[in-house]
Amino acid sequence: GAGVSQTPSNKVTEKGKYVELRCDPISGHTALYWYRQSLGQGPEFLIYFQGTGAADDSGLPNDRFFAVRPEGSVSTLKIQRTERGDSAVYLCASSPGNNEQFFGPGTRLTVL
Amino acid sequence: QKEVEQNSGPLSVPEGAIASLNCTYSDRGSQSFFWYRQYSGKSPELIMFIYSNGDKEDGRFTAQLNKASQYVSLLIRDSQPSDSATYLCAVNKNTDKLIFGTGTRLQVFP
């Protein structure tokens, strides 16, 4: 079946701009996670949704980052006033609820 | 001290050999353990998970967990050049988020 999809695959923006990254999880998966990965590092947790609610947002680095999942399926990660340090690959994962997380292809964000 | 530690490598093994990848973790409350494979420029792909002490086998892969020593390993038998990738170890403390190591780069040469 279809895996996790993410759009766009690449996003180049200028410092100070606003960006939205979209994640479409595997159908039926109730849990959705956002991570970001910098070069040479493992993925770093940002936020986790169970259904529509954010169950754990402890990984969001600051209040410029926000994520929603209004209908319990698609999620959008929003970054305001982007900074060069936000450049990374943003990964979304979904899970049927048993801790096995399946990753999407990621969105490579470049802030110039 | 990082929560999950892995040797960055590269670990080079000849085709057909056993590759042994190791990972240590600091939090004794960690409950489940995962191995992901990540090819260059791609996203992590789940290979195996293990919850209980001992070995768990799946095809050419064996995960080993020793909670007393706080380490988890992945053995790849009959290594193939297509196994060349970065292997990420991740742990879960029953809080649903995964904590990843930095990964070990494996190179399998013909």
Side-chain angles (χ1 to χ4, degrees):
Chain A
V4 178
S5 62
Q6 292 186 246
T7 55
S9 55
N10 278 285
K11 176 70 177 179
V12 180
T13 190
E14 293 179 342
K15 180 175 178 296
K17 299 289 188 183
Y18 167 83
V19 297
E20 289 189 352
L21 311 179
R22 176 188 166 109
C23 172
D24 206 333
I26 294 171
S27 178
H29 281 195
T30 56
L32 185 147
Y33 306 80
W34 285 99
Y35 295 81
R36 73 176 175 181
Q37 187 175 26
S38 300
L39 196 62
Q41 302 297 313
E44 174 192 20
F45 171 78
L46 296 176
I47 187 170
Y48 151 57
F49 287 90
Q50 183 62 251
T52 60
D56 183 352
D57 64 358
S58 62
L60 295 178
N62 51 59
D63 61 6
R64 295 187 297 105
F65 289 74
F66 189 70
V68 296
R69 194 187 186 198
E71 298 178 357
S73 178
V74 170
S75 176
T76 304
L77 178 66
K78 308 180 181 192
I79 311 174
Q80 298 178 321
R81 304 183 304 279
T82 52
E83 299 177 357
R84 293 194 180 88
D86 298 335
S87 297
V89 175
Y90 287 80
L91 294 164
C92 176
S94 71
S95 171
N98 61 356
N99 288 329
E100 295 175 52
Q101 298 182 22
F102 300 91
F103 284 84
T107 293
R108 182 175 298 277
L109 175 66
T110 303
V111 182
L112 301 177
Chain B
Q1 181 187 11
K2 291 183 180 178
E3 289 198 64
V4 180
E5 300 221 37
Q6 297 181 256
N7 188 316
S8 62
L11 172 66
S12 293
V13 300
E15 185 174 357
I18 297 176
S20 177
L21 302 154
N22 300 312
C23 170
T24 58
Y25 59 95
S26 61
D27 191 332
R28 286 195 174 274
S30 301
Q31 298 193 359
S32 47
F33 307 85
F34 301 82
W35 283 100
Y36 284 82
R37 176 175 62 198
Q38 187 171 28
Y39 292 112
S40 181
K42 302 295 185 183
S43 62
E45 173 193 5
L46 181 63
I47 300 174
M48 290 190 70
F49 59 89
I50 187 168
Y51 301 129
S52 304
N53 273 329
D55 294 1
K56 179 181 179 183
E57 187 174 318
D58 184 0
R60 296 187 297 114
F61 299 97
T62 299
Q64 299 175 317
L65 175 61
N66 183 322
K67 289 188 176 180
S69 299
Q70 294 176 243
Y71 84 78
V72 57
S73 61
L74 180 70
L75 301 179
I76 307 175
R77 287 181 298 282
D78 188 24
S79 296
Q80 301 296 308
S82 59
D83 294 326
S84 299
T86 295
Y87 289 80
L88 295 161
C89 171
V91 305
N92 177 296
K93 297 188 287 187
N94 206 33
T95 59
D96 294 296
K97 65 185 179 185
L98 292 179
I99 300 170
F100 284 85
T102 56
T104 298
R105 189 156 63 95
L106 173 66
Q107 294 178 337
V108 181
F109 55 92

